[in-house]
Amino acid sequence: MEKADKITGTMAIREVLRMGDPRLLASSEPVTAFGTPELENLLLDMQDTMRHMQGAGLAAPQIGVGLRVIIFGVEQNPRYPDAELVPFTVLVNPQLTALGAEQDEAWEGCLSVPGMRGVVPRYRHLRYTGFDATGQSIDRTVRDFHARVVQHEVDHLDGILYPQRIRDMTQFGFSDALFPGQELPDE
Ligand code: NI
């Protein structure tokens, strides 16, 4: 999958909207038809864009499409040497259920909030359900980093950006000021 960037002729890297654009604050609509060319093309564009920007995830509203579609995944990525691996996943019409009240706090970034990082509380353990591009159901129970990534992406579908979740605004700032000398990904 990391070779996707080398494929020519099919690339469609889309502009990622940045915080301040009202489209990032809207609630997205459920997908009602699976296996369509429209959905396939949306997913290809999302994958090209996410990989080009070396993101851990991307939600359709970030490229201006108000549908409940997210993709995420962290494979061997030199920019995340310490990250747990999360399988590449297409998740349409996701539903999250927190398993227990336990939360933890960790640094997050977002391709729509470039150059910044903040400490965000998230549920540690959750179940998520939804569908893949063809309408096959997905049902997983996950924890920690995988759970965090899904919560971040699903928030985009409800018009929520991670800065809105930060409890301690002293834990929010520019990546290069917070972590001098480290080159961190935006997402
Ligand atoms: Ni994001």
Side-chain angles (χ1 to χ4, degrees):
M1 278 188 277
E2 54 277 1
K3 293 196 175 109
D5 282 358
K6 298 191 179 83
I7 297 169
T8 53
T10 58
M11 292 294 293
I13 296 163
R14 302 269 293 260
E15 180 191 3
V16 175
L17 306 183
R18 290 175 305 138
M19 184 169 65
D21 190 305
R23 288 172 286 180
L24 292 171
L25 302 176
S27 276
S28 293
E29 298 293 326
V31 169
T32 55
F34 291 87
T36 62
E38 291 78 12
L39 184 57
E40 292 293 342
N41 287 333
L42 171 63
L43 286 164
L44 286 173
D45 285 0
M46 289 175 68
Q47 289 171 48
D48 288 344
T49 303
M50 183 178 96
R51 292 198 175 113
H52 175 74
M53 300 187 79
Q54 295 183 293
L58 190 72
Q62 290 182 276
I63 59 167
V65 176
L67 291 172
R68 301 188 78 81
V69 176
I70 63 174
I71 63 172
F72 53 88
V74 178
E75 292 163 347
Q76 301 293 344
N77 185 330
R79 299 185 77 180
Y80 294 95
D82 303 321
E84 284 171 59
L85 301 185
V86 177
F88 178 77
T89 301
V90 167
L91 190 62
V92 179
N93 297 347
Q95 301 275 356
L96 303 187
T97 307
L99 300 175
E102 190 186 358
Q103 297 192 333
D104 68 358
E105 299 213 317
W107 291 97
E108 290 186 16
C110 180
L111 296 175
S112 294
V113 191
M116 302 195 81
R117 301 228 127 196
V119 170
V120 182
R122 300 287 186 188
Y123 290 106
R124 285 199 65 195
H125 195 198
L126 61 82
R127 177 183 177 197
Y128 66 84
T129 61
F131 302 91
D132 72 10
T134 64
Q136 294 290 309
S137 61
I138 293 171
D139 185 341
R140 290 184 186 153
T141 297
V142 299
R143 56 174 61 247
D144 298 325
F145 182 65
H146 189 154
R148 174 171 295 277
V149 169
V150 178
Q151 288 169 87
H152 176 114
E153 297 310 328
V154 170
D155 265 355
H156 279 294
L157 306 182
D158 297 321
I160 298 167
L161 299 171
Y162 82 81
Q164 296 165 251
R165 299 263 187 212
I166 296 173
R167 289 179 178 146
D168 175 358
M169 291 302 286
T170 70
Q171 302 267 279
F172 180 46
F174 292 97
S175 305
D176 56 358
L178 286 161
F179 306 107
Q182 295 181 41
E183 197 189 323
L184 292 168
D186 279 328
E187 172 121 354

